């Protein structure tokens, strides 16, 4: 292995450590607790080393969001792959989405509520975000209905899921009724 290859691997390893540490700290104490000083202390590198990888907290949030989007896409596809029929796939998708948001609140917040410097629904949207949307579109596109643009329908359904996730997390909706909300959403918004 050349010196350049070794340095590149070490750099990748440090970046993964920074992102994992930021994610862990955010899940434990919230994003306000994630500072470059704290991260540098936790990973046992100086702040200049941290800044050599990321320009600041915003870029770290973006990296966590991209990692989360990739994980969400995998979770959505896994949940829908074992469901039989369009309605079962949509229900599985909705439950997997809400489950991901509940199990990963800080990651979900990085993905959809904080400024990570990421472009959504644009030409320069990063691939993990495109793939997460595609995981939704793959299932929801088949139930959009005649004359309804599949991507537009997916956006509306996604907005409803995001609202449920956000309101439940904020304590505005009782979590014990989540299953009933999913059933109602699937029944009323889909054509299956």
């Amino acid at each position: 292995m050349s010196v350049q290859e070794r340095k590149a691997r070490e750099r990748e390893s440090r970046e993964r450590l920074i992102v994992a540490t930021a994610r862990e700290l955010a899940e434990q104490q919230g994003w306000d607790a994630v500072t470059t000083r704290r991260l540098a202390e936790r990973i046992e590198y100086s702040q200049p080393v941290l800044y050599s990888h990321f320009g600041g907290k915003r870029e770290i949030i973006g990296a966590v969001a991209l990692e989360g989007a990739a994980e969400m896409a995998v979770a959505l596809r896994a949940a829908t792959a074992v469901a039989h029929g369009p309605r079962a796939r949509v229900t599985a998708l909705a439950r997997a989405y809400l489950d991901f948001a509940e199990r990963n609140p800080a990651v979900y917040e990085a993905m959809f509520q904080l400024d990570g410097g990421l472009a959504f629904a644009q030409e320069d949207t990063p691939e993990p975000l495109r793939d997460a949307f595609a995981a939704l579109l793959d299932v929801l596109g088949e139930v959009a209905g005649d004359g309804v643009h599949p991507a537009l329908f997916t956006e509306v359904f996604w907005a409803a899921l995001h609202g449920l996730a956000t309101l439940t997390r904020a304590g505005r909706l009782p979590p014990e009724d989540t299953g009933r909300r999913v059933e109602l959403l699937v029944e009323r918004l889909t054509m299956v």
Side-chain angles (χ1 to χ4, degrees):
M1 173 184 304
S2 73
V3 171
Q4 270 186 322
E5 290 172 327
R6 181 181 52 78
K7 285 185 179 187
R9 281 195 350 191
E10 289 172 356
R11 182 173 179 76
E12 278 183 38
S13 178
R14 276 192 307 272
E15 284 184 10
R16 283 192 307 272
L17 177 62
I18 292 165
V19 171
T21 304
R23 185 175 174 164
E24 179 183 315
L25 187 57
E27 292 291 1
Q28 291 171 352
Q29 299 176 32
W31 280 103
D32 287 341
V34 179
T35 64
T36 54
R37 182 187 57 77
R38 248 191 183 155
L39 285 174
E41 288 172 3
R42 282 204 175 193
I43 65 172
E44 299 178 347
Y45 283 100
S46 68
Q47 281 183 298
V49 169
L50 192 138
Y51 281 114
S52 74
H53 292 275
F54 297 97
K57 184 176 176 177
R58 180 180 188 219
E59 287 183 16
I60 294 168
I61 289 169
V64 170
L66 292 176
E67 189 175 270
E71 292 171 8
M72 176 182 272
V74 168
L76 296 178
R77 287 190 175 105
T80 58
V82 296
H84 301 291
R87 185 182 184 105
R89 279 191 293 281
V90 173
T91 301
L93 177 88
R95 287 183 177 145
Y97 183 97
L98 295 173
D99 184 54
F100 180 89
E102 181 184 353
R103 285 184 293 111
N104 305 283
V107 172
Y108 189 82
E109 189 176 8
M111 291 168 65
F112 300 121
Q113 294 171 282
L114 299 177
D115 179 10
L118 303 173
F120 282 80
Q122 297 175 17
E123 284 188 27
D124 59 341
T125 299
E127 183 54 35
L129 297 178
R130 288 178 185 270
D131 190 46
F133 185 77
L136 293 165
L137 181 61
D138 291 346
V139 172
L140 295 169
E142 69 179 291
V143 299
D146 293 336
V148 178
H149 191 280
L152 187 61
F153 177 77
T154 299
E155 290 171 350
V156 170
F157 199 94
W158 172 28
L161 289 174
H162 176 71
L164 290 174
T166 304
L167 290 170
T168 301
R169 179 169 180 227
R172 305 300 194 272
L173 297 175
E176 61 271 11
D177 292 330
T178 297
R180 291 176 50 212
R181 285 187 201 96
V182 166
E183 289 173 18
L184 184 60
L185 180 64
V186 172
E187 176 185 315
R188 299 296 179 171
L189 285 185
T190 65
M191 305 304 284
V192 293

